[in-house]
Amino acid sequence: MAKSLERRGLVTISGRGPTWTASICPAGEQRLEEPVPPPPAEPDLTAADQLVRRVLGAGGELELTESDDRNEIRELVEQSLKSPLRPHGKKLDLVNDFPYVYAVVLVDYFGELVEARPVRILENIRRYHPSVKQFKQNRDTQRVSEEHVGRATLVLQSLVQEAERRDIRVPSFDEARLLNRSNSNSKLSGAHVIFKVGDELYAINIRELPLKGGAKIEDRWKLRGTRPQWILDRGYEFISSGKLELIVEPIGYGDTRYRDGKRKRLEDQLPEVFRRLEISRRHTAVAKQIEAKREKYKKQRHEKEANIARQKYIDAKTWEYFKELSERWQKLERHREFLEQARAAMASLDPDELNQAQAFLAHSEEVIARLDPLGHPEHLVPKIKEPSYADLQQYTPNKARFW
């Protein structure tokens, strides 16, 4: 530090080692008299910037309060993608599900984390994948004019070989049908190629975009077998444009399309195809992790509620049993009192009646002794049956949600 000040002409240094000293120069004294400049002004923060700062300050999870306008928060979350405060590879997301009531959280932004990697475009094919071979041989399903089938075949084979390099399965239709858990196989049955990315299936199709002006095909049924079926199905003559389009359809819904353009050919867009598939795979994996956590949380909450309900049931049944024993004992005590009064009253009976009365009261006394819970200590140990589903329902809050 002293050397730096000396070089700037603010101090002079003399001596060496432990005896060195520094003296301030006139320029240094003048500098001390000058006012300290204020720190550079921080640029104005937008509302979206402020939200990003709040979430980061909360450790990436900001639970909203009643004072937060949720519609406004939703708009700010969308705007926050352009915030300079947003960390690279992260974005804000608004959630109102497990484990939050309502919150803004910082999540991975796969759009920035996943990069497009080059895809090798084949110039010739030595060995066809079965699905690609079927595409090349079956004119009825090609949807590409004959002069462009070769190029479309190269695109499909390039896709297949790149998929296998990236550990993406390329199953046959029969294999995919077994893997497909949904009831519909319509997308799979018409697909040129099928990809299995993670647990998701995608139908991959290629077609040629037509030019306008094709004439209507009359009596199509007469032409079956003489023309490709895909042209007859159109109902109009196909005018070739030479422009190819690749359609990537998940089994669920929606699709993504890539086509020849003025600046980019279809082949140049194949890296983006795999980039989007990888982003989709990561989103699916995260969704499954969240779902697994949600189910675990629900199970734990269910077990907790069930244990609370079971304890309430046991407490209620134990108290009922205690009251039953107490009431039984009180009734028997009244019977004992009556027994003593009856024995005193029977002294006036003649001998035959007296014997009958004594036998009657002796029998009653035996019954009282047999029924007395205090005469049988084992009755003081409650025996509560295990509760059934119906037993616990009345002790469980939010029945519709947890039971």
Side-chain angles (χ1 to χ4, degrees), residues 287-317:
K288 287 189 174 182
Q289 290 174 1
I290 293 174
E291 183 61 26
K293 289 181 180 179
R294 182 184 295 115
E295 290 303 318
K296 182 179 179 181
Y297 174 74
K298 286 183 178 179
K299 183 179 179 181
Q300 291 174 342
R301 187 169 55 181
H302 171 91
E303 291 174 350
K304 181 180 178 181
E305 292 290 346
N307 289 335
I308 292 174
R310 186 176 184 277
Q311 189 58 51
K312 287 181 178 180
Y313 166 84
I314 291 174
D315 291 345
K317 293 301 179 182

Side-chain angles (χ1 to χ4, degrees), residues 59-236:
E61 300 176 356
L62 176 67
E63 291 208 31
L64 301 178
T65 64
E66 293 182 0
S67 62
D68 291 305
D69 185 330
R70 296 184 180 182
N71 290 328
E72 179 184 0
I73 292 292
R74 187 176 293 106
E75 293 179 2
L76 294 180
V77 165
E78 295 176 0
Q79 297 170 12
S80 67
L81 277 176
K82 299 180 179 180
S83 171
L85 302 183
R86 178 180 63 84
H88 178 77
K90 298 288 184 179
K91 68 174 183 176
L92 300 188
D93 192 17
L94 188 62
V95 296
N96 61 342
D97 202 349
F98 164 85
Y100 314 101
V101 176
Y102 215 87
V104 180
V105 298
L106 195 67
V107 299
D108 287 333
Y109 184 23
F110 297 127
E112 290 181 346
L113 295 175
V114 179
E115 296 181 355
R117 297 182 344 217
V119 174
R120 181 188 171 201
I121 306 300
L122 301 175
E123 295 180 358
N124 54 68
I125 302 174
R126 293 183 179 180
R127 185 177 180 181
Y128 290 93
H129 184 276
S131 297
V132 180
K133 185 176 182 180
Q134 184 179 10
F135 166 81
K136 186 183 180 193
Q137 294 176 343
N138 190 351
R139 288 289 294 132
D140 287 333
T141 60
Q142 283 173 346
R143 289 180 276 178
V144 178
S145 60
E146 189 171 358
E147 59 267 33
H148 297 290
V149 168
R151 180 188 167 207
T153 304
L154 286 171
V155 170
L156 287 178
Q157 186 66 30
S158 299
L159 278 169
V160 167
Q161 292 189 195
E162 185 66 27
E164 292 173 341
R165 277 196 290 270
R166 301 188 187 210
D167 294 326
I168 295 175
R169 283 188 59 189
V170 188
S172 67
F173 167 70
D174 290 335
E175 291 175 313
R177 184 174 54 185
L178 295 175
L179 294 169
N180 184 23
R181 297 177 182 177
S182 67
N183 296 325
S184 173
N185 289 301
S186 59
K187 289 185 179 180
L188 296 179
S189 62
H192 292 144
V193 173
I194 299 171
F195 282 179
K196 184 176 184 293
V197 184
D199 292 331
E200 301 296 321
L201 291 171
Y202 291 83
I204 312 294
N205 292 288
I206 195 166
R207 72 176 189 130
E208 183 180 354
L209 299 172
L211 294 176
K212 295 180 179 180
K216 185 177 181 180
I217 302 175
E218 303 292 344
D219 299 327
R220 289 182 290 168
W221 61 275
K222 294 181 179 180
L223 300 175
R224 287 179 182 174
T226 64
R227 304 281 298 279
Q229 188 61 43
W230 67 271
I231 292 181
L232 297 179
D233 290 340
R234 295 182 76 250
Y236 291 85

Side-chain angles (χ1 to χ4, degrees), residues 16-86:
R16 291 184 176 181
T19 61
W20 76 277
T21 59
S23 302
I24 191 168
C25 296
E29 292 179 351
Q30 182 179 357
R31 181 65 179 271
L32 290 175
E33 294 175 357
E34 293 176 354
V36 178
E42 188 176 84
D44 293 336
L45 296 179
T46 65
D49 295 334
Q50 294 174 14
L51 179 60
V52 173
R53 176 173 285 183
R54 286 177 64 192
V55 174
L56 294 175
E61 300 176 356
L62 176 67
E63 291 208 31
L64 301 178
T65 64
E66 293 182 0
S67 62
D68 291 305
D69 185 330
R70 296 184 180 182
N71 290 328
E72 179 184 0
I73 292 292
R74 187 176 293 106
E75 293 179 2
L76 294 180
V77 165
E78 295 176 0
Q79 297 170 12
S80 67
L81 277 176
K82 299 180 179 180
S83 171
L85 302 183
R86 178 180 63 84

Side-chain angles (χ1 to χ4, degrees), residues 338-347 354 358 361-363 365:
F338 172 78
L339 194 62
E340 293 302 319
Q341 296 294 332
R343 280 176 173 155
M346 70 181 182
L354 180 61
Q358 287 176 339
L361 295 180
H363 173 73
E365 188 173 27

